[in-house]
Amino acid sequence: LWLGGRAAEVEAVCARAMDDQNVNVAPVFFLFHLALAQAEQGKGREALNSAEKAIAQAAATDRLVVRLRRHMVLRVLGRWDEAVEYGNKLLEEFDTPEDRPAVRSAQAAAYWGAKKPDEAEKLLRAILDDDPDDAGACNDLGYHLADQGRNLGEAERLIRHAVMVDRVERRKSGSA
């Protein structure tokens, strides 16, 4: 349903599953998807409510993932300033080497949306300082530089590197 862009159907499936006593899946899973489905449909209040419920129900191991979903909901809703503010809190709270790339990447997306490209670029470059082979950061920074018509040589190099790293990772995992 997600791949088909059918957010209303995702919402309906999640709602039914949470009401079904025979479904043996933690409600946080459905709330996680429900929040984004509602945001995609412009249901801001409901989406943020679902995201907050997911955060409240998440296990410690899922805290970052559900918090990043709330961040994404804010971005989908176009609430850029709130997303930036929330992302700054996430950057402070989740400052381990394992968590940093995901938080920085999400926050860079919020900065791009908020029309603050310098801040976004700093975060993407920080990811690449830690891991020059981060395909997502290479791709994002490369495309943003190209869109701005800046450092086109670097932009091309970053995008080509992202494609190469992605191919290598797919081969390693056995994925076509």
Side-chain angles (χ1 to χ4, degrees):
L1 295 175
W2 274 128
L3 292 175
R6 295 159 45 191
E9 291 177 56
V10 171
E11 179 182 19
V13 167
C14 290
R16 278 195 311 273
M18 288 188 302
D19 288 339
D20 188 341
Q21 299 300 317
N22 296 318
V23 173
N24 243 358
V25 176
V28 67
F29 173 81
F30 297 109
L31 288 164
F32 177 84
H33 291 285
L34 179 62
L36 185 57
Q38 290 167 328
E40 292 282 345
Q41 297 173 79
K43 299 177 179 179
R45 187 173 3 94
E46 296 93 334
L48 288 169
N49 187 33
S50 295
E52 290 299 331
K53 286 180 183 176
I55 290 168
Q57 294 181 18
T61 55
D62 298 325
R63 275 185 54 236
L64 176 57
V65 172
V66 295
R67 301 277 303 276
L68 286 173
R69 178 53 57 112
R70 183 181 187 280
H71 192 259
M72 179 183 279
V73 164
L74 289 167
R75 294 187 334 253
V76 167
L77 294 171
R79 294 166 75 164
W80 302 111
D81 291 338
E82 289 177 65
V84 166
E85 182 180 328
Y86 187 69
N88 285 333
K89 291 177 188 174
L90 295 178
L91 286 167
E92 290 176 18
E93 186 175 342
F94 295 95
D95 191 30
T96 65
E98 299 81 30
D99 295 339
R100 236 178 263 137
V103 178
R104 285 175 173 169
S105 179
Q107 185 66 340
Y111 277 130
W112 286 117
K115 308 284 190 257
K116 298 179 178 179
D118 292 342
E119 289 89 341
E121 184 175 335
K122 285 177 192 169
L123 286 171
L124 292 172
R125 288 193 186 280
I127 294 170
L128 294 174
D129 286 345
D130 292 341
D131 179 8
D133 291 330
D134 187 300
C138 285
N139 186 70
D140 291 351
L141 181 56
Y143 273 98
H144 288 300
L145 290 173
D147 286 345
Q148 295 173 359
R150 294 189 310 116
N151 302 339
L152 296 178
E154 179 186 17
E156 181 180 3
R157 182 186 58 75
L158 286 165
I159 294 166
R160 288 185 185 281
H161 188 69
V163 170
M164 187 268 310
V165 168
D166 184 62
R167 281 186 185 146
V168 169
E169 288 176 3
R170 287 176 189 256
R171 282 190 194 122
K172 283 182 186 175
S173 71
S175 171

PDB file of all heavy atoms in Angstrom, residues 139-166:
ATOM      1  N   ASN A 139      24.402  11.011  -1.599  1.00  0.00           N
ATOM      2  CA  ASN A 139      23.324  11.276  -2.548  1.00  0.00           C
ATOM      3  C   ASN A 139      22.625  12.598  -2.245  1.00  0.00           C
ATOM      4  O   ASN A 139      22.451  13.446  -3.128  1.00  0.00           O
ATOM      5  CB  ASN A 139      22.322  10.123  -2.516  1.00  0.00           C
ATOM      6  CG  ASN A 139      21.255  10.259  -3.564  1.00  0.00           C
ATOM      7  OD1 ASN A 139      21.516  10.115  -4.748  1.00  0.00           O
ATOM      8  ND2 ASN A 139      20.040  10.551  -3.122  1.00  0.00           N
ATOM      9  N   ASP A 140      22.241  12.779  -0.988  1.00  0.00           N
ATOM     10  CA  ASP A 140      21.504  13.992  -0.624  1.00  0.00           C
ATOM     11  C   ASP A 140      22.334  15.248  -0.853  1.00  0.00           C
ATOM     12  O   ASP A 140      21.860  16.213  -1.461  1.00  0.00           O
ATOM     13  CB  ASP A 140      21.050  13.929   0.836  1.00  0.00           C
ATOM     14  CG  ASP A 140      19.966  12.891   1.070  1.00  0.00           C
ATOM     15  OD1 ASP A 140      19.437  12.336   0.076  1.00  0.00           O
ATOM     16  OD2 ASP A 140      19.645  12.634   2.241  1.00  0.00           O
ATOM     17  N   LEU A 141      23.566  15.226  -0.369  1.00  0.00           N
ATOM     18  CA  LEU A 141      24.419  16.409  -0.536  1.00  0.00           C
ATOM     19  C   LEU A 141      24.698  16.663  -2.014  1.00  0.00           C
ATOM     20  O   LEU A 141      24.626  17.799  -2.481  1.00  0.00           O
ATOM     21  CB  LEU A 141      25.719  16.265   0.251  1.00  0.00           C
ATOM     22  CG  LEU A 141      26.676  17.452   0.168  1.00  0.00           C
ATOM     23  CD1 LEU A 141      25.990  18.750   0.607  1.00  0.00           C
ATOM     24  CD2 LEU A 141      27.918  17.182   1.014  1.00  0.00           C
ATOM     25  N   GLY A 142      24.981  15.603  -2.754  1.00  0.00           N
ATOM     26  CA  GLY A 142      25.241  15.759  -4.180  1.00  0.00           C
ATOM     27  C   GLY A 142      24.079  16.382  -4.918  1.00  0.00           C
ATOM     28  O   GLY A 142      24.248  17.327  -5.702  1.00  0.00           O
ATOM     29  N   TYR A 143      22.877  15.897  -4.672  1.00  0.00           N
ATOM     30  CA  TYR A 143      21.714  16.449  -5.364  1.00  0.00           C
ATOM     31  C   TYR A 143      21.405  17.872  -4.925  1.00  0.00           C
ATOM     32  O   TYR A 143      21.016  18.708  -5.741  1.00  0.00           O
ATOM     33  CB  TYR A 143      20.489  15.539  -5.209  1.00  0.00           C
ATOM     34  CG  TYR A 143      20.463  14.490  -6.280  1.00  0.00           C
ATOM     35  CD1 TYR A 143      20.926  13.210  -6.032  1.00  0.00           C
ATOM     36  CD2 TYR A 143      20.025  14.788  -7.574  1.00  0.00           C
ATOM     37  CE1 TYR A 143      20.929  12.244  -7.024  1.00  0.00           C
ATOM     38  CE2 TYR A 143      20.026  13.836  -8.571  1.00  0.00           C
ATOM     39  CZ  TYR A 143      20.481  12.565  -8.295  1.00  0.00           C
ATOM     40  OH  TYR A 143      20.489  11.627  -9.286  1.00  0.00           O
ATOM     41  N   HIS A 144      21.583  18.156  -3.641  1.00  0.00           N
ATOM     42  CA  HIS A 144      21.325  19.524  -3.187  1.00  0.00           C
ATOM     43  C   HIS A 144      22.328  20.509  -3.784  1.00  0.00           C
ATOM     44  O   HIS A 144      21.949  21.614  -4.178  1.00  0.00           O
ATOM     45  CB  HIS A 144      21.293  19.603  -1.668  1.00  0.00           C
ATOM     46  CG  HIS A 144      20.073  18.978  -1.079  1.00  0.00           C
ATOM     47  ND1 HIS A 144      18.798  19.408  -1.367  1.00  0.00           N
ATOM     48  CD2 HIS A 144      19.916  17.927  -0.237  1.00  0.00           C
ATOM     49  CE1 HIS A 144      17.919  18.665  -0.736  1.00  0.00           C
ATOM     50  NE2 HIS A 144      18.574  17.756  -0.046  1.00  0.00           N
ATOM     51  N   LEU A 145      23.578  20.104  -3.855  1.00  0.00           N
ATOM     52  CA  LEU A 145      24.572  20.977  -4.487  1.00  0.00           C
ATOM     53  C   LEU A 145      24.224  21.194  -5.961  1.00  0.00           C
ATOM     54  O   LEU A 145      24.282  22.322  -6.462  1.00  0.00           O
ATOM     55  CB  LEU A 145      25.975  20.384  -4.358  1.00  0.00           C
ATOM     56  CG  LEU A 145      26.597  20.365  -2.963  1.00  0.00           C
ATOM     57  CD1 LEU A 145      27.904  19.584  -2.970  1.00  0.00           C
ATOM     58  CD2 LEU A 145      26.808  21.780  -2.436  1.00  0.00           C
ATOM     59  N   ALA A 146      23.853  20.115  -6.638  1.00  0.00           N
ATOM     60  CA  ALA A 146      23.506  20.225  -8.060  1.00  0.00           C
ATOM     61  C   ALA A 146      22.275  21.101  -8.255  1.00  0.00           C
ATOM     62  O   ALA A 146      22.240  21.943  -9.164  1.00  0.00           O
ATOM     63  CB  ALA A 146      23.267  18.835  -8.644  1.00  0.00           C
ATOM     64  N   ASP A 147      21.271  20.936  -7.400  1.00  0.00           N
ATOM     65  CA  ASP A 147      20.055  21.753  -7.506  1.00  0.00           C
ATOM     66  C   ASP A 147      20.363  23.238  -7.343  1.00  0.00           C
ATOM     67  O   ASP A 147      19.709  24.086  -7.946  1.00  0.00           O
ATOM     68  CB  ASP A 147      19.018  21.336  -6.462  1.00  0.00           C
ATOM     69  CG  ASP A 147      18.338  20.013  -6.799  1.00  0.00           C
ATOM     70  OD1 ASP A 147      18.447  19.564  -7.961  1.00  0.00           O
ATOM     71  OD2 ASP A 147      17.708  19.434  -5.894  1.00  0.00           O
ATOM     72  N   GLN A 148      21.358  23.534  -6.514  1.00  0.00           N
ATOM     73  CA  GLN A 148      21.744  24.926  -6.289  1.00  0.00           C
ATOM     74  C   GLN A 148      22.745  25.416  -7.332  1.00  0.00           C
ATOM     75  O   GLN A 148      23.114  26.591  -7.329  1.00  0.00           O
ATOM     76  CB  GLN A 148      22.360  25.086  -4.894  1.00  0.00           C
ATOM     77  CG  GLN A 148      21.410  24.821  -3.762  1.00  0.00           C
ATOM     78  CD  GLN A 148      22.123  24.841  -2.421  1.00  0.00           C
ATOM     79  OE1 GLN A 148      23.335  25.027  -2.325  1.00  0.00           O
ATOM     80  NE2 GLN A 148      21.364  24.650  -1.358  1.00  0.00           N
ATOM     81  N   GLY A 149      23.208  24.516  -8.188  1.00  0.00           N
ATOM     82  CA  GLY A 149      24.191  24.901  -9.196  1.00  0.00           C
ATOM     83  C   GLY A 149      25.553  25.215  -8.609  1.00  0.00           C
ATOM     84  O   GLY A 149      26.330  25.970  -9.182  1.00  0.00           O
ATOM     85  N   ARG A 150      25.859  24.626  -7.460  1.00  0.00           N
ATOM     86  CA  ARG A 150      27.132  24.879  -6.782  1.00  0.00           C
ATOM     87  C   ARG A 150      28.007  23.632  -6.821  1.00  0.00           C
ATOM     88  O   ARG A 150      27.492  22.519  -6.761  1.00  0.00           O
ATOM     89  CB  ARG A 150      26.904  25.228  -5.305  1.00  0.00           C
ATOM     90  CG  ARG A 150      26.185  26.505  -5.059  1.00  0.00           C
ATOM     91  CD  ARG A 150      26.158  26.932  -3.583  1.00  0.00           C
ATOM     92  NE  ARG A 150      25.729  25.909  -2.643  1.00  0.00           N
ATOM     93  CZ  ARG A 150      26.513  25.399  -1.687  1.00  0.00           C
ATOM     94  NH1 ARG A 150      27.763  25.783  -1.531  1.00  0.00           N
ATOM     95  NH2 ARG A 150      26.038  24.473  -0.859  1.00  0.00           N
ATOM     96  N   ASN A 151      29.282  23.834  -6.895  1.00  0.00           N
ATOM     97  CA  ASN A 151      30.246  22.727  -6.784  1.00  0.00           C
ATOM     98  C   ASN A 151      29.789  21.507  -7.595  1.00  0.00           C
ATOM     99  O   ASN A 151      29.692  20.401  -7.070  1.00  0.00           O
ATOM    100  CB  ASN A 151      30.440  22.327  -5.318  1.00  0.00           C
ATOM    101  CG  ASN A 151      30.916  23.458  -4.452  1.00  0.00           C
ATOM    102  OD1 ASN A 151      31.484  24.448  -4.938  1.00  0.00           O
ATOM    103  ND2 ASN A 151      30.692  23.350  -3.159  1.00  0.00           N
ATOM    104  N   LEU A 152      29.512  21.728  -8.867  1.00  0.00           N
ATOM    105  CA  LEU A 152      28.945  20.668  -9.691  1.00  0.00           C
ATOM    106  C   LEU A 152      29.869  19.461  -9.824  1.00  0.00           C
ATOM    107  O   LEU A 152      29.385  18.321  -9.876  1.00  0.00           O
ATOM    108  CB  LEU A 152      28.543  21.212 -11.056  1.00  0.00           C
ATOM    109  CG  LEU A 152      27.417  22.256 -11.011  1.00  0.00           C
ATOM    110  CD1 LEU A 152      27.123  22.782 -12.405  1.00  0.00           C
ATOM    111  CD2 LEU A 152      26.158  21.684 -10.374  1.00  0.00           C
ATOM    112  N   GLY A 153      31.163  19.680  -9.830  1.00  0.00           N
ATOM    113  CA  GLY A 153      32.100  18.555  -9.868  1.00  0.00           C
ATOM    114  C   GLY A 153      31.986  17.694  -8.622  1.00  0.00           C
ATOM    115  O   GLY A 153      31.946  16.459  -8.700  1.00  0.00           O
ATOM    116  N   GLU A 154      31.939  18.357  -7.489  1.00  0.00           N
ATOM    117  CA  GLU A 154      31.780  17.627  -6.227  1.00  0.00           C
ATOM    118  C   GLU A 154      30.424  16.943  -6.196  1.00  0.00           C
ATOM    119  O   GLU A 154      30.311  15.795  -5.748  1.00  0.00           O
ATOM    120  CB  GLU A 154      31.915  18.574  -5.032  1.00  0.00           C
ATOM    121  CG  GLU A 154      31.740  17.863  -3.705  1.00  0.00           C
ATOM    122  CD  GLU A 154      31.716  18.789  -2.497  1.00  0.00           C
ATOM    123  OE1 GLU A 154      31.511  20.009  -2.661  1.00  0.00           O
ATOM    124  OE2 GLU A 154      31.871  18.264  -1.376  1.00  0.00           O
ATOM    125  N   ALA A 155      29.387  17.624  -6.653  1.00  0.00           N
ATOM    126  CA  ALA A 155      28.044  17.046  -6.666  1.00  0.00           C
ATOM    127  C   ALA A 155      28.033  15.749  -7.470  1.00  0.00           C
ATOM    128  O   ALA A 155      27.511  14.725  -7.011  1.00  0.00           O
ATOM    129  CB  ALA A 155      27.039  18.047  -7.233  1.00  0.00           C
ATOM    130  N   GLU A 156      28.623  15.779  -8.669  1.00  0.00           N
ATOM    131  CA  GLU A 156      28.658  14.576  -9.503  1.00  0.00           C
ATOM    132  C   GLU A 156      29.451  13.465  -8.824  1.00  0.00           C
ATOM    133  O   GLU A 156      29.033  12.299  -8.825  1.00  0.00           O
ATOM    134  CB  GLU A 156      29.257  14.895 -10.865  1.00  0.00           C
ATOM    135  CG  GLU A 156      29.306  13.688 -11.781  1.00  0.00           C
ATOM    136  CD  GLU A 156      29.900  13.971 -13.137  1.00  0.00           C
ATOM    137  OE1 GLU A 156      30.350  15.107 -13.391  1.00  0.00           O
ATOM    138  OE2 GLU A 156      29.923  13.033 -13.955  1.00  0.00           O
ATOM    139  N   ARG A 157      30.591  13.825  -8.263  1.00  0.00           N
ATOM    140  CA  ARG A 157      31.425  12.821  -7.580  1.00  0.00           C
ATOM    141  C   ARG A 157      30.651  12.165  -6.430  1.00  0.00           C
ATOM    142  O   ARG A 157      30.669  10.949  -6.266  1.00  0.00           O
ATOM    143  CB  ARG A 157      32.708  13.475  -7.049  1.00  0.00           C
ATOM    144  CG  ARG A 157      33.656  12.494  -6.355  1.00  0.00           C
ATOM    145  CD  ARG A 157      34.843  13.190  -5.714  1.00  0.00           C
ATOM    146  NE  ARG A 157      34.500  14.209  -4.733  1.00  0.00           N
ATOM    147  CZ  ARG A 157      34.063  13.956  -3.490  1.00  0.00           C
ATOM    148  NH1 ARG A 157      33.908  12.719  -3.078  1.00  0.00           N
ATOM    149  NH2 ARG A 157      33.785  14.947  -2.662  1.00  0.00           N
ATOM    150  N   LEU A 158      29.939  12.977  -5.638  1.00  0.00           N
ATOM    151  CA  LEU A 158      29.169  12.445  -4.508  1.00  0.00           C
ATOM    152  C   LEU A 158      28.061  11.506  -4.974  1.00  0.00           C
ATOM    153  O   LEU A 158      27.850  10.432  -4.390  1.00  0.00           O
ATOM    154  CB  LEU A 158      28.569  13.599  -3.690  1.00  0.00           C
ATOM    155  CG  LEU A 158      29.544  14.379  -2.822  1.00  0.00           C
ATOM    156  CD1 LEU A 158      28.919  15.698  -2.366  1.00  0.00           C
ATOM    157  CD2 LEU A 158      29.978  13.535  -1.625  1.00  0.00           C
ATOM    158  N   ILE A 159      27.350  11.893  -6.009  1.00  0.00           N
ATOM    159  CA  ILE A 159      26.245  11.068  -6.501  1.00  0.00           C
ATOM    160  C   ILE A 159      26.775   9.755  -7.085  1.00  0.00           C
ATOM    161  O   ILE A 159      26.232   8.683  -6.816  1.00  0.00           O
ATOM    162  CB  ILE A 159      25.396  11.848  -7.524  1.00  0.00           C
ATOM    163  CG1 ILE A 159      24.701  13.020  -6.822  1.00  0.00           C
ATOM    164  CG2 ILE A 159      24.374  10.929  -8.195  1.00  0.00           C
ATOM    165  CD1 ILE A 159      24.121  14.054  -7.767  1.00  0.00           C
ATOM    166  N   ARG A 160      27.843   9.837  -7.861  1.00  0.00           N
ATOM    167  CA  ARG A 160      28.434   8.611  -8.412  1.00  0.00           C
ATOM    168  C   ARG A 160      28.942   7.698  -7.293  1.00  0.00           C
ATOM    169  O   ARG A 160      28.800   6.470  -7.362  1.00  0.00           O
ATOM    170  CB  ARG A 160      29.568   8.948  -9.378  1.00  0.00           C
ATOM    171  CG  ARG A 160      29.082   9.523 -10.687  1.00  0.00           C
ATOM    172  CD  ARG A 160      30.242   9.743 -11.666  1.00  0.00           C
ATOM    173  NE  ARG A 160      29.805  10.400 -12.860  1.00  0.00           N
ATOM    174  CZ  ARG A 160      29.184   9.803 -13.878  1.00  0.00           C
ATOM    175  NH1 ARG A 160      28.929   8.514 -13.810  1.00  0.00           N
ATOM    176  NH2 ARG A 160      28.828  10.488 -14.940  1.00  0.00           N
ATOM    177  N   HIS A 161      29.521   8.290  -6.266  1.00  0.00           N
ATOM    178  CA  HIS A 161      29.999   7.489  -5.135  1.00  0.00           C
ATOM    179  C   HIS A 161      28.819   6.826  -4.417  1.00  0.00           C
ATOM    180  O   HIS A 161      28.908   5.651  -4.038  1.00  0.00           O
ATOM    181  CB  HIS A 161      30.811   8.365  -4.170  1.00  0.00           C
ATOM    182  CG  HIS A 161      31.483   7.588  -3.087  1.00  0.00           C
ATOM    183  ND1 HIS A 161      32.535   6.725  -3.321  1.00  0.00           N
ATOM    184  CD2 HIS A 161      31.241   7.532  -1.755  1.00  0.00           C
ATOM    185  CE1 HIS A 161      32.911   6.170  -2.187  1.00  0.00           C
ATOM    186  NE2 HIS A 161      32.145   6.647  -1.219  1.00  0.00           N
ATOM    187  N   ALA A 162      27.724   7.548  -4.251  1.00  0.00           N
ATOM    188  CA  ALA A 162      26.536   6.979  -3.607  1.00  0.00           C
ATOM    189  C   ALA A 162      26.019   5.774  -4.386  1.00  0.00           C
ATOM    190  O   ALA A 162      25.684   4.735  -3.803  1.00  0.00           O
ATOM    191  CB  ALA A 162      25.436   8.037  -3.487  1.00  0.00           C
ATOM    192  N   VAL A 163      25.981   5.883  -5.702  1.00  0.00           N
ATOM    193  CA  VAL A 163      25.515   4.774  -6.544  1.00  0.00           C
ATOM    194  C   VAL A 163      26.454   3.576  -6.405  1.00  0.00           C
ATOM    195  O   VAL A 163      26.008   2.434  -6.242  1.00  0.00           O
ATOM    196  CB  VAL A 163      25.389   5.225  -8.018  1.00  0.00           C
ATOM    197  CG1 VAL A 163      25.137   4.037  -8.936  1.00  0.00           C
ATOM    198  CG2 VAL A 163      24.274   6.254  -8.163  1.00  0.00           C
ATOM    199  N   MET A 164      27.748   3.828  -6.428  1.00  0.00           N
ATOM    200  CA  MET A 164      28.721   2.753  -6.315  1.00  0.00           C
ATOM    201  C   MET A 164      28.605   2.052  -4.953  1.00  0.00           C
ATOM    202  O   MET A 164      28.579   0.827  -4.874  1.00  0.00           O
ATOM    203  CB  MET A 164      30.145   3.311  -6.524  1.00  0.00           C
ATOM    204  CG  MET A 164      31.233   2.246  -6.586  1.00  0.00           C
ATOM    205  SD  MET A 164      32.044   1.837  -5.016  1.00  0.00           S
ATOM    206  CE  MET A 164      32.510   3.394  -4.353  1.00  0.00           C
ATOM    207  N   VAL A 165      28.519   2.831  -3.871  1.00  0.00           N
ATOM    208  CA  VAL A 165      28.402   2.254  -2.532  1.00  0.00           C
ATOM    209  C   VAL A 165      27.113   1.432  -2.427  1.00  0.00           C
ATOM    210  O   VAL A 165      27.111   0.324  -1.884  1.00  0.00           O
ATOM    211  CB  VAL A 165      28.445   3.356  -1.445  1.00  0.00           C
ATOM    212  CG1 VAL A 165      28.041   2.808  -0.085  1.00  0.00           C
ATOM    213  CG2 VAL A 165      29.834   3.983  -1.381  1.00  0.00           C
ATOM    214  N   ASP A 166      26.025   1.967  -2.972  1.00  0.00           N
ATOM    215  CA  ASP A 166      24.751   1.245  -2.937  1.00  0.00           C
ATOM    216  C   ASP A 166      24.867  -0.084  -3.682  1.00  0.00           C
ATOM    217  O   ASP A 166      24.384  -1.113  -3.201  1.00  0.00           O
ATOM    218  CB  ASP A 166      23.646   2.112  -3.534  1.00  0.00           C
ATOM    219  CG  ASP A 166      22.289   1.450  -3.429  1.00  0.00           C
ATOM    220  OD1 ASP A 166      21.843   1.215  -2.282  1.00  0.00           O
ATOM    221  OD2 ASP A 166      21.686   1.145  -4.484  1.00  0.00           O
TER     222      ASP A 166
END
